[in-house]
Amino acid sequence: MAKEKTGIFVYNRGMYVKSFFLELLAAKSLRESRRISVRLAWRESGVSKRVAYSMANNAMREYPADALVKLCRYFECDVGDLLALADDHGCAVHRHN
């Protein structure tokens, strides 16, 4: 059973899925030498507004497979670059590099 902790849903044994959406967005902005807002990212990637803002705020309860595919294509990354299992202190337990 999940419980909400300041916008983050903490799961079994204090673990949750952490999104690196904002970090990937900043890297893409830098790489492409342009300012990319969350709004622009959801429009360009094709994900819903709700998905983009929820991922940016680490507030997703479920991760739709189609949204993950779109975001991975948009950011040119793997799912492990976008999401990681983290402890309740926000430290990623394992993150794909």
Side-chain angles (χ1 to χ4, degrees), residues 19-38:
S19 166
F20 291 95
F21 181 93
L22 291 177
E23 292 85 347
L24 291 169
L25 188 63
K28 184 176 177 71
S29 292
L30 186 61
R31 189 172 58 248
E32 296 182 5
S33 301
R34 64 186 181 120
R35 184 179 181 283
I36 306 173
S37 63
V38 174

Side-chain angles (χ1 to χ4, degrees), residues 14-18 84-94:
M15 304 297 283
Y16 71 98
V17 176
K18 179 174 176 53
L85 189 60
D87 64 20
D88 59 357
H89 301 290
C91 298
V93 174
H94 177 69

